Amino acid sequence: MRPKPRRQPHHSSRPGTPNRRAHPPSPERHPELPPEFEQLFDALDEVYGDPRTVRTPLDAELWASAFLGGLWTAALQQDDEPEGAELGLVEVLELVASPRTQAVLCAVASVASPDVAVRAAEASERLFRKGVRRPDWYGASLQPVEFLEGWSVSDVFADGELLIAAFKRGKDKYAFTATVANNAQGSVVEVLLVDPADLPDILAEIRAEFSEAAEGVFSLDEIDGGELRRRLEPAVLETVVDEDEYDDEEEGLEPDEAGGADGAARLEAVDGRDPLAGFEDLDELDDLDVQDGLAAMDELDELDDLDDLADLDDLDDLDLDEDDDEGDDFAALRALMLSRLAVLPEPAELPGGADFGYDLDDLPTLLDEFTGSDDARELPHPAIVREWGEVFARLGLTEFAGDPPLYGPEKFDTLINVLIPARVNADDTQLELLEPVALAWARWSTRRVGLAEPVSDYLVEAVEESFEDFPQAYSDPVFTMDRHMFGFTMQSTAG
């Protein structure tokens, strides 16, 4: 039998010998922003200008503040801390290493929280050393921020306060007006970015409005930087965006019309939708290891699924028009406001650690004083009168910034048309006494602190006007369900 011939091994089986034509090595892939980020950046550019080409640092800072505000809002909705996403963002921007991301890093370094700002500045410096040039406005952004003036517009009842802060850096001058509502736990309910050149006219209009109210109700005072920071910074930090407001706006309703929480900062809605909704899936940024340098490049693919960013073309309709009666977007200006307040002197502490507030232990004495007042003694059913007084005091302690018993028109309106309808189950006899007790409380609380009779009359008239809406509020189906499910029932009787 003839032996089979030995077959020579095929070239492909030889170690180290490829079975295909040799090709030159592929060029290293240059990292790029995910398409969703590109779309988001384009949308912000439409509103605030491209941070690579804007003229002044303020223009770029507004861009960065709006972006950080979107991350902050998304973190609130997901019950997360925004700083993780912000640090992840810095890492991504450095990895992409383009003139566009360099400009964004410079802007973020100017307005972000201290830790994020330091990381952004360091990342920007590394890119600069690699030849990625900074935008033309960068040099001007290194100039110090100067405080120009501050004003407080307040009422004697401490219902709320309008705070005005003007700043300057280089040729940029700008001012914030922020309305702090003490009937909403001291939240910022409106913020405007205005030209300091308009402040004299704004102050003149405020003084003109004062002349129409009772003398002594309102005051306008110039305040220094430290006092401004003491009053405004905690309010900005404590303000949150209530998710109910998104629902209200999606239904085409104002928050008050839909029974939403009073005092939550109002976010602008465009075509009935939240303009920053696309940020809600940016929590993937939290997963980036910001310590691993270029190793994080492999994780950029995680950002490819941010589908909800497609909705961000709604940002095209956002602006900072100071004539907008509804105010500018708090979330978009939050980072810029905090960065400016941070340059002001540390606020002074109250002397001696004094405690000027009330607590629940003080209520019996306070209620004894109220029920013993002339106005309260004239009312029937003392037990019901006292219990309504306790309702006023307890709700004030838990819901308002400031202490009972002095409530102004805004706090009284919140009590009458929001809190009591949503929290208190009362029978017909008890409800009939609510308005007389509220009017007695208004007269007693103003007189006990020495306010003039015209101020007391002003408050009484405002309370009477609030009660015009009470029947509708108390019969509102949403409030009715809330108080039956979560409220309490008054125990006093007419006996």
Side-chain angles (χ1 to χ4, degrees):
M1 183 175 64
R2 191 176 65 179
K4 293 181 179 180
R6 293 187 61 188
R7 294 179 179 175
Q8 296 295 322
H10 193 274
H11 288 294
S12 62
S13 65
R14 296 179 183 176
T17 305
N19 190 24
R20 61 180 183 269
R21 295 179 58 187
H23 294 282
S26 300
E28 183 178 353
R29 181 170 68 95
H30 183 74
E32 297 179 352
L33 282 174
E36 294 82 1
F37 271 67
E38 291 283 1
Q39 183 183 20
L40 169 59
F41 284 15
D42 289 342
L44 290 170
D45 290 351
E46 288 292 323
V47 179
Y48 303 100
D50 189 330
R52 291 169 291 185
T53 58
V54 294
R55 294 187 305 106
T56 69
L58 177 61
D59 295 324
E61 289 169 338
L62 288 170
W63 191 104
S65 185
F67 189 84
L68 294 173
L71 293 179
W72 172 78
T73 302
L76 282 181
Q77 293 174 337
Q78 298 168 13
D79 199 23
D80 290 333
E81 289 295 328
E83 191 165 276
E86 293 170 0
L87 291 172
L89 168 69
V90 169
E91 184 74 3
V92 171
L93 295 173
E94 182 179 4
L95 291 170
V96 174
S98 69
R100 190 178 207 180
T101 62
Q102 171 69 290
V104 174
L105 283 170
C106 292
V108 169
S110 190
V111 297
S113 61
D115 289 345
V116 177
V118 168
R119 291 285 188 88
E122 293 171 348
S124 172
E125 178 64 21
R126 287 190 290 268
L127 292 187
F128 179 73
R129 292 176 181 174
K130 294 177 181 178
V132 183
R133 60 169 297 181
R134 292 177 170 124
D136 292 340
W137 53 262
Y138 175 73
S141 72
L142 301 180
Q143 296 177 285
V145 175
E146 302 175 41
F147 174 66
L148 296 178
E149 57 183 312
W151 294 87
S152 165
V153 182
S154 60
D155 63 85
V156 70
F157 309 108
D159 264 4
E161 188 173 21
L162 174 67
L163 292 165
I164 301 173
F167 297 91
K168 172 182 182 293
R169 178 163 62 186
K171 296 181 180 180
D172 278 342
K173 293 183 180 180
Y174 45 93
F176 298 106
T177 69
T179 302
V180 179
N182 289 332
N183 65 328
Q185 289 287 16
S187 297
V188 176
V189 294
E190 182 180 80
V191 59
L192 291 169
L193 183 65
V194 301
D195 188 336
D198 295 331
L199 285 184
D201 291 337
I202 293 173
L203 297 176
E205 290 177 7
I206 291 172
R207 293 186 178 98
E209 291 180 6
F210 286 0
S211 65
E212 299 176 3
E215 184 177 355
V217 172
F218 298 105
S219 62
L220 173 63
D221 304 292
E222 188 168 10
I223 55 178
D224 62 27
E227 181 63 17
L228 174 70
R229 183 175 181 181
R230 185 183 72 81
R231 298 187 190 189
L232 184 53
E233 188 175 55
V236 175
L237 291 171
E238 291 299 320
T239 297
V240 297
V241 179
D242 195 304
E243 291 185 7
D244 289 343
E245 295 218 5
Y246 300 118
D247 298 336
D248 298 341
E249 288 163 355
E250 287 173 359
E251 297 169 6
L253 298 175
E254 290 297 323
D256 288 345
E257 294 174 344
D262 267 24
R266 188 185 193 286
L267 280 178
E268 298 297 329
V270 181
D271 297 330
R273 291 171 290 171
D274 168 22
L276 298 180
F279 283 94
E280 61 191 22
D281 282 344
L282 283 178
D283 56 334
E284 285 88 347
L285 285 170
D286 291 330
D287 300 329
L288 287 177
D289 186 346
V290 297
Q291 303 293 334
D292 286 346
L294 292 176
M297 187 61 238
D298 294 335
E299 301 183 58
L300 269 176
D301 291 338
E302 296 178 16
L303 301 174
D304 291 340
D305 295 327
L306 305 181
D307 297 333
D308 285 349
L309 286 171
D311 296 333
L312 278 166
D313 55 355
D314 289 338
L315 279 168
D316 295 348
D317 295 329
L318 285 179
D319 60 30
L320 292 176
D321 182 359
E322 65 197 58
D323 296 326
D324 183 355
D325 292 338
E326 295 178 338
D328 295 325
D329 181 6
F330 170 80
L333 291 177
R334 181 179 181 273
L336 182 61
M337 291 177 67
L338 289 174
S339 68
R340 296 306 172 256
L341 292 172
V343 308
L344 301 177
E346 289 285 344
E349 296 182 1
L350 293 175
D355 181 8
F356 299 107
Y358 283 86
D359 57 34
L360 295 179
D361 293 337
D362 299 313
L363 289 190
T365 302
L366 187 70
L367 295 175
D368 288 342
E369 182 184 342
F370 168 59
T371 55
S373 66
D374 292 340
D375 293 301
R377 280 203 311 266
E378 295 176 355
L379 298 176
H381 312 310
I384 297 177
V385 172
R386 185 180 181 92
E387 189 169 14
W388 275 127
E390 184 173 357
V391 168
F392 295 163
R394 286 182 178 273
L395 289 177
L397 283 171
T398 58
E399 300 296 331
F400 299 151
D403 295 306
L406 186 62
Y407 302 143
E410 296 295 331
K411 289 181 180 176
F412 258 118
D413 191 69
T414 302
L415 276 172
I416 294 164
N417 290 312
V418 178
L419 297 178
I420 289 174
R423 308 278 182 85
V424 182
N425 294 292
D427 61 31
D428 290 342
T429 303
Q430 293 162 340
L431 289 175
E432 287 175 4
L433 268 176
L434 174 56
E435 182 172 358
V437 173
L439 295 175
W441 185 284
R443 294 189 183 96
W444 162 74
S445 62
T446 52
R447 290 170 182 165
R448 76 188 294 272
V449 293
L451 297 179
E453 200 66 23
V455 176
S456 179
D457 294 340
Y458 170 87
L459 178 58
V460 166
E461 181 180 351
V463 173
E464 290 174 337
E465 291 179 357
S466 288
F467 270 101
E468 294 175 2
D469 299 324
F470 177 73
Q472 180 180 355
Y474 202 76
S475 61
D476 180 275
V478 175
F479 285 151
T480 300
M481 182 177 64
D482 284 348
R483 70 173 177 267
H484 286 164
M485 294 180 63
F486 310 112
F488 67 92
T489 300
M490 292 182 65
Q491 302 299 311
S492 57
T493 65

